[in-house]
Amino acid sequence: MYDSIVIGSGAAGSVTARQLAEVGKRVLVLEKRPHIAGNCYDKPDKFGILIHVYGPHIFHTNEEEVFEFLSQFTDWRLFGHEVAANVHGELIPIPFNLNTLHKVYDEEKASRLEAVLIREYGEGSRVPIMKLRENSNPEIKAIAGYVYENVFLRYTMKQWGQKPEEISPEVTARVPVLISHDNRYFQDKYQGMPKEGYTAMFEKMLDHANITVRLSADCKDCMEFLPDRVLFEGKEFTGSVIYTGALDELFDWKYGRLPYRSLDFQFEHLDMDSFQGRSVVNYTVSEEFTRITEFKHLTGQTDTDGTTIVREYPFAYTGAKGEIPYYAILNEENQMLYQKYADLVKPLQNVYLLGRLAEYKYYNIDAIVKRALELAETIRRYRILSWALRRRTVFWINWRTWFVSFFPTMCRRERISLS
Ligand code: UDP
């Protein structure tokens, strides 16, 4: 007998499961794949090199709460993640920053442009490329033109099949132009890798007496999402259900497929100490793949012969067997289609949608962990409230305590169950 069912054991599902288990809920985790950890899944390849099977995942956060939570399950290899772009054979630091400026222009011009950028935006600022392009100053326009052409245009065409101006501005804004000499890809306080890898971290997280994990378990084999209730093994299930998978799939694509971009990962083992001397190189003006990741520089692994790299080839997800939906394509039309699916869940008071797939959003790992911590807390508080209501004890609680503890919970957008 379970109090909660979590569908998916990636970051969203594992964190929620753990937090619910911690407050005494008996949690069943249903995982469709034969392994845990979702797209963060890593494992040694046949050469003993720890690889990220679903592409490179670099953890980064400014959220103390998130870092502390995860640190219960792992030590860290912290570093400042840096990326270079290969532009016609030359490597330049990405995001484009003041160091990049000095690499691509001669010293005199670079110093002048640096002063112009600082005057215009202020030192330390982060300017999305689409904003930089709007600037009417001819010198800034020229920089924007260079960055657009050499960093964004072809990479975005490969990644999304569309030009930067055709995709949601928040996507290119993830990699702003930095008015600073900071070569790091992210500016967050904490960045790096779980020391023993992501799978080990999620294994520890799910290792709890109140958690049962079923692998290779498609939720649709034991659950039914009816218009007004959820069935588990043929009986109504009134505990909380946290769904982290693709929402169109849950409802058998009844309104059509939600569009996603997918990736084909081509791994290669090379008999050399290092292929590119760094973890990630983006190919921003050439090649069919977007980037090459060399794992040993990410994970810090030194006890291996040779090196393993992965090239990423993006393509439009079609739903064919073996394809994985990685990135939601953010636009109004897709959002409307997503909303039609989300509306099917609305009457199901005990079902919560969480994560990149279920919410059709572009989340970083830390943002998902934070959302999962909040959701588990919302569920926990509401359960206490419903317990108190059933026993009519709630009115004995001091009104201030009631207001501070429960009012925010009740106001949350997440739907809450009174089972
Ligand atoms: N981007 C780009 N060139 C780069 C890096 C990023 O054009 O060298 C654009 C591209 O549209 C990409 C987006 O910025 O999809 C976000 O990049 P990010 O590195 O955050 O993508 P992720 O690592 O999540 O795949």
Side-chain angles (χ1 to χ4, degrees), residues 151-152 155-156 160 171 174-175 185 282 284 291 327 362:
V151 177
F152 284 95
Y155 189 101
T156 301
W160 298 99
V171 175
R174 289 169 58 87
V175 188
Y185 202 65
N282 288 2
T284 54
R291 57 188 172 193
Y327 296 93
Y362 198 160

Side-chain angles (χ1 to χ4, degrees), residues 4-166:
S4 298
I5 300 176
V6 175
I7 298 156
S9 66
S14 298
V15 172
T16 315
R18 177 68 188 213
Q19 290 301 79
L20 293 175
E22 286 287 342
V23 294
K25 305 290 173 207
R26 290 153 303 172
V27 185
L28 173 65
V29 178
L30 297 173
E31 171 55 60
K32 194 162 71 164
R33 291 170 172 169
H35 60 75
I36 59 158
N39 290 345
C40 290
Y41 178 61
D42 51 16
K43 65 161 192 188
D45 65 7
K46 64 179 177 190
F47 307 97
I49 295 178
L50 188 66
I51 59 166
H52 294 183
V53 175
Y54 304 99
H57 284 73
I58 295 106
F59 177 74
H60 56 102
T61 193
N62 273 326
E63 301 279 348
E64 296 289 341
E65 183 198 11
V66 167
F67 187 69
E68 268 169 35
F69 172 79
L70 294 178
S71 299
Q72 297 174 83
F73 312 107
T74 189
D75 290 329
W76 296 94
R77 173 180 187 258
L78 295 177
F79 56 89
H81 178 56
E82 292 191 15
V83 173
N86 182 317
V87 179
H88 304 301
E90 201 192 343
L91 295 185
I92 60 168
I94 294 289
F96 191 96
N97 63 57
L98 298 179
N99 295 327
T100 325
L101 193 74
H102 284 268
K103 251 197 132 155
V104 302
Y105 296 110
D106 66 57
E107 191 45 43
E108 194 203 322
K109 188 169 179 187
S111 298
R112 195 180 68 248
L113 294 177
E114 176 172 337
V116 172
L117 284 169
I118 291 175
R119 203 175 325 119
E120 182 75 17
Y121 295 104
E123 192 148 14
S125 51
R126 304 159 58 83
V127 189
I129 179 60
M130 302 318 280
K131 282 263 166 279
L132 199 71
R133 288 183 90 210
E134 287 168 9
N135 198 303
S136 56
N137 178 326
E139 289 199 299
I140 294 181
K141 256 206 167 347
I143 301 169
Y146 176 91
V147 178
Y148 177 83
E149 286 291 331
N150 291 288
V151 177
F152 284 95
L153 181 57
R154 179 133 171 78
Y155 189 101
T156 301
M157 283 303 296
K158 288 188 272 186
Q159 179 73 6
W160 298 99
Q162 287 176 292
K163 290 184 176 168
E165 56 270 36
E166 292 167 338

